[in-house]
Amino acid sequence: MMSEFVIKPVKTGTEAGRVSDFLLGEHCFDDQRFTPGETDHLRWLPMRSLQDDSVQCWYAEEGPEVIAAIIFVENEHKSGGYRLEYFGVHRSHRHRGFGWRLIKHMFDLIRERNGRYVETFTCDLPEYESARKLFERNGFQFLCRMPDYYYPGEGKLLYYKLFESSEPAS
């Protein structure tokens, strides 16, 4: 029997380490060829979320195992823009709405903070097809492809979602 899917923020160094281990582990991403920068980000961003409110790192677990995680950041201009950096769902827990719930939770916080938009990216390889579909079904618009971004033959796809707001960003 599956326990309730509860999304919670990383609050301790131990939790940050568990989230990093999950995101870098064999059960999260289908493509395990991380760039050196991705490895650094996946180790550093969960810890950074403990000290910097512009970095959000949330996760869900089943028993002692992390089964889903999301990391997003307010952009460097602090003008209402956000960037979804990473999210993942354990292979054995996919197609159960967990990715949708993580993204909805992120959207709710961005709206609560009067965010104007969120940008994200993914790879153009077939392994990332489900991520692309998830973005598009959640209202992200495809912007452009940057060829050979990660490695030769492996391009980056940029996506953007604008939030409608009754108040202009300050």
Side-chain angles (χ1 to χ4, degrees):
M1 178 178 196
M2 185 181 83
S3 61
E4 184 179 344
F5 185 78
V6 177
I7 300 169
K8 51 190 173 182
V10 165
K11 291 187 177 181
T12 69
T14 300
E15 291 172 345
R18 290 179 60 228
V19 168
S20 289
D21 290 345
F22 165 69
L23 291 168
L24 288 165
E26 65 182 294
H27 300 292
C28 185
F29 297 112
D30 292 337
D31 180 5
Q32 292 286 297
R33 294 180 319 133
F34 298 110
T35 67
E38 285 173 316
T39 301
D40 289 346
H41 276 154
L42 290 168
R43 283 276 170 230
W44 177 67
L45 284 172
M47 288 298 281
R48 186 171 159 214
S49 74
L50 297 171
Q51 301 168 343
D52 183 347
D53 190 47
S54 69
V55 178
Q56 298 294 312
C57 181
W58 301 332
Y59 70 105
E61 57 194 345
E62 185 174 72
E65 186 175 28
V66 174
I67 61 168
I70 189 167
I71 302 171
F72 64 99
V73 301
E74 185 176 12
N75 74 19
E76 62 275 11
H77 301 288
K78 306 218 183 276
S79 61
Y82 288 81
R83 184 174 50 251
L84 169 55
E85 293 284 357
Y86 300 97
F87 84 96
V89 176
H90 192 289
R91 277 192 189 104
S92 66
H93 295 277
R94 291 181 186 164
H95 307 291
R96 293 158 83 179
F98 295 164
W100 286 78
R101 297 228 1 238
L102 288 170
I103 290 184
K104 182 191 178 311
H105 207 71
M106 174 186 69
F107 288 170
D108 289 347
L109 183 73
I110 291 171
R111 284 184 183 107
E112 180 182 304
R113 293 182 173 189
N114 294 316
R116 297 181 303 118
Y117 67 87
V118 60
E119 63 182 280
T120 194
F121 52 89
T122 191
C123 182
D124 61 1
L125 294 177
E127 293 92 327
Y128 296 88
E129 179 66 28
S130 61
R132 294 190 292 270
K133 287 180 180 177
L134 181 68
F135 294 152
E136 290 166 7
R137 283 188 289 227
N138 277 281
F140 284 91
Q141 294 180 342
F142 172 72
L143 293 178
C144 69
R145 177 178 178 268
M146 298 168 64
D148 300 318
Y149 182 83
Y150 298 104
Y151 291 110
E154 192 171 326
K156 178 178 183 176
L157 304 175
L158 298 174
Y159 289 84
Y160 177 84
K161 178 177 175 70
L162 183 64
F163 292 98
E164 300 204 16
S165 174
S166 59
E167 299 177 30
S170 53

